[in-house]
Amino acid sequence: MSATLEKAAMNPVYRKRLLTHRIGIAMSVFAMSIGLAVLAWILVTLIVKGFGALSVDLFTQTTPAPGSEGGGLLNAIVGSLMIVGLSTLISTPIGILAGMYLAEYGEENKIASITRFVTDIMLSAPSIVIGMFVWAMYVATAKHYSGYAGSVALALIAVPVVVRTTDNMLRLVPNNLLEAAFALGAPRWKVAMTVRLRAVKAGVITGVLLAVARVSGETAPLLFTALNNQFMSVDMNAPIANLPVVIYGYAMSPYDNWRELAWGGALLVTFSVLALNVISRTLFAQKAPN
């Protein structure tokens, strides 16, 4: 056996392939190291500057006026929760039902194929384009910015994520489980709702959480729809404060406390997205062994 290995090692073709393999691995590790180094640089900078902005005032006071000291992000936090929450309520049922339709009838008609094609296009569509679309269809018609318009824009971004995740997860259900349900006389809609969807509910929830994480930090759509509000407001039919737009505006301001608040808001958004990703992956990991 050792003689065979020694003979193979002396083969010039084998040595060339081994060298190519090692060069490829080295280049891959080098590229990964660069990416991880940049990511670590960003995270360390965010944590160092963001933690310096964390205080009780950040969560209890509203955004300050130009030139004033102190202030917080209470109105922006509340506004973001309201906008993202409403967008989740809109996108979740639409996305799950559309995903179920694709999984159940996706191979039987052209409408499902068109739906899947449009969904794939929306997944890669720039968020600013969706924001401009909602502005033209909603804001320009109503003649004012509003939190509702922001929620609609974010829902349009979240729906394709939920649709594709639901579709892919439902296709993982074994056929024998579905055939057993059909053999008992269950109608197709009941099999889809009570058997197929229940079997992959953790994966579907994962898709919803990933969609929420996807839209939580979007700024461009909200600039065209919800805009901003310096004061505390829970009126969704008017401009409303939100973290992404506040971070965008304050990061470029000439005031030190505004830039500090921008770092604090960026840290909140980053940790929120990180928490959603961890929760979604944990749910999926717990479901996988079953």
Side-chain angles (χ1 to χ4, degrees), residues 48-73:
V48 170
K49 295 191 175 183
F51 268 111
L54 295 182
S55 64
V56 177
D57 292 343
L58 186 74
F59 301 95
T60 58
Q61 296 186 14
T62 59
T63 50
S68 61
E69 296 295 330
L73 298 174

Side-chain angles (χ1 to χ4, degrees), residues 11-45:
N11 190 323
V13 176
Y14 171 79
R15 295 175 63 182
K16 182 179 179 180
R17 291 178 177 177
L18 181 61
L19 179 61
T20 304
H21 169 74
R22 289 176 176 174
I23 292 175
I25 293 296
M27 292 178 64
S28 299
V29 172
F30 178 70
M32 180 190 68
S33 301
I34 294 177
L36 290 178
V38 174
L39 178 61
W41 183 19
I42 294 173
L43 289 178
V44 169
T45 303

